[in-house]
Amino acid sequence: SGQINQTGSIDITLTRPLQDNETIIITATDNSGNKTTESVTVGDVTDPQIEVNIIDNDTIQVSSDEIGSKVEIKDESGQIIGEGIVDSNGQVTIDIDQVLNDGDTIIVNVTDSAGNNTTEEIVVGDVTAPIISADIKDANTIEITSNEVGTVEITDANGHVIGSGIATGNN
């Protein structure tokens, strides 16, 4: 509730958020006690819920509860580097226009058909693939060098694992 200003308007901060499609009743009373009541059905006022998953250094998947929402991905400078529409499964996978590096910041903006939007700023984690080299020592031994800690798997041409190990991080 509140007092209408001299221009005939008022902004009222509610004690709770409006819910999508609920009906509210607005009553205005003048200084003489005359009342006008209006019933209003609220439309879509809820911002989309989103989840962002960085697949690799140039692919981002966005999930949302608002099917048909427009997704924009921007770089730190605000330049759009990818766009898409949330599909009927609540997801969109976007190949962006530039390669992300570890520590980059991206801005993901999702806007539903009612104009509600959610913006999330994300610092990109480790999306850089390790650099490896292999030195075949003999028929049973391969020395792998990697610039990053992680697992190493060796497969034959048919995809069968024939060896594995852990890169310790000291190359």
Side-chain angles (χ1 to χ4, degrees):
S1 65
Q3 199 64 29
I4 295 176
N5 65 26
Q6 294 192 351
T7 64
S9 66
I10 184 172
D11 286 336
I12 299 176
T13 302
L14 303 175
T15 58
R16 67 165 180 82
L18 295 172
Q19 302 296 315
D20 290 350
N21 303 314
E22 82 173 296
T23 300
I24 60 172
I25 299 167
I26 301 169
T27 304
T29 306
D30 67 15
N31 291 335
S32 298
N34 301 308
K35 293 182 180 185
T36 299
T37 301
E38 184 173 340
S39 176
V40 177
T41 300
V42 176
D44 180 356
V45 293
T46 306
D47 293 339
Q49 300 278 327
I50 66 171
E51 182 180 319
V52 179
N53 184 16
I54 299 173
I55 304 295
D56 57 33
N57 63 356
D58 65 355
T59 308
I60 297 172
Q61 184 180 63
V62 177
S63 300
S64 176
D65 63 340
E66 294 276 353
I67 294 168
S69 292
K70 180 179 180 181
V71 178
E72 288 182 336
I73 301 172
K74 299 177 182 177
D75 62 15
E76 291 179 81
S77 68
Q79 178 181 344
I80 295 174
I81 58 174
E83 295 179 282
I85 302 293
V86 176
D87 67 17
S88 60
N89 295 319
Q91 295 185 333
V92 61
T93 301
I94 300 171
D95 293 326
I96 58 174
D97 297 339
Q98 68 184 38
V99 174
L100 297 174
N101 296 302
D102 302 353
D104 283 353
T105 298
I106 59 169
I107 299 136
V108 179
N109 186 53
V110 179
T111 305
D112 69 14
S113 59
N116 304 308
N117 78 39
T118 299
T119 300
E120 195 168 312
E121 189 171 295
I122 298 167
V123 176
V124 176
D126 183 0
V127 292
T128 305
I131 300 169
I132 62 170
S133 63
D135 182 17
I136 299 175
K137 297 294 187 180
D138 58 41
N140 294 312
T141 308
I142 300 175
E143 180 180 74
I144 306 294
T145 304
S146 174
N147 68 328
E148 293 190 51
V149 174
T151 59
V152 177
E153 191 173 81
I154 301 169
T155 58
D156 64 17
N158 296 318
H160 300 106
V161 176
I162 59 173
S164 64
I166 304 284
T168 60
N170 60 2
N171 285 336

